[in-house]
């Protein structure tokens, strides 16, 4: 996520986010602050809809209720690295499988030609 707001705008968003967090009894730790800052900024429309739905139902912002949108809209960068690593390993293994099938095809063709040669000789 990229934050390009000017300092005054960012301060306003931060103040408003903290005020809403206090109003809804949400602990002001960094993960919650990220949710509420982005809610106030409107930069993540899906997040705004999710938070508005909880407010409209007059539900409490529990730890679990905030964890879901956080993981949906602000995935852990470490997870991206893990997925990229797994994809690279999978790509390597698929390459090895394709190479093995290619070698098997060549060996089968060579074996078939040898058998054909023996059949002709017989």
């Amino acid at each position: 996520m990229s934050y390009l707001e000017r300092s005054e705008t960012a301060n306003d968003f931060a103040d408003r986010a903290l005020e809403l967090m206090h109003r809804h009894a949400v602990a002001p730790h960094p993960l919650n602050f990220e949710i509420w800052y982005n809610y106030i900024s409107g930069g993540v429309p899906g997040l705004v809809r999710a938070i508005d739905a909880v407010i409209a139902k007059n539900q409490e912002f529990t730890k679990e209720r905030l964890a879901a949108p956080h993981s949906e809209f602000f995935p852990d960068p470490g997870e991206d690295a893990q997925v990229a690593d797994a994809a690279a390993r999978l790509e390597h293994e698929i390459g090895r499988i394709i190479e093995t099938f290619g070698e098997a095809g060549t060996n089968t063709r060579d074996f078939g030609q040898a058998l054909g040669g023996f059949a002709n000789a017989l």
Side-chain angles (χ1 to χ4, degrees), residues 95-105 107:
R96 285 185 47 206
I97 290 169
I98 290 170
E99 184 180 314
T100 301
F101 280 136
E103 289 171 3
N107 292 340

Side-chain angles (χ1 to χ4, degrees), residues 4-56:
L4 304 175
E5 298 88 11
R6 292 186 0 238
S7 180
E8 299 83 23
T9 303
N11 284 330
D12 180 53
F13 289 165
D15 290 343
R16 291 170 51 202
L18 287 170
E19 189 275 321
L20 271 178
M21 290 170 73
H22 179 72
R23 184 183 318 159
H24 291 284
V26 174
H29 63 68
L31 298 180
N32 287 342
F33 184 77
E34 183 174 32
I35 289 171
W36 288 92
Y37 181 96
N38 283 283
Y39 172 75
I40 291 296
S41 76
V44 184
L47 174 66
V48 172
R49 287 189 296 275
I51 297 297
D52 282 346
V54 174
I55 292 171

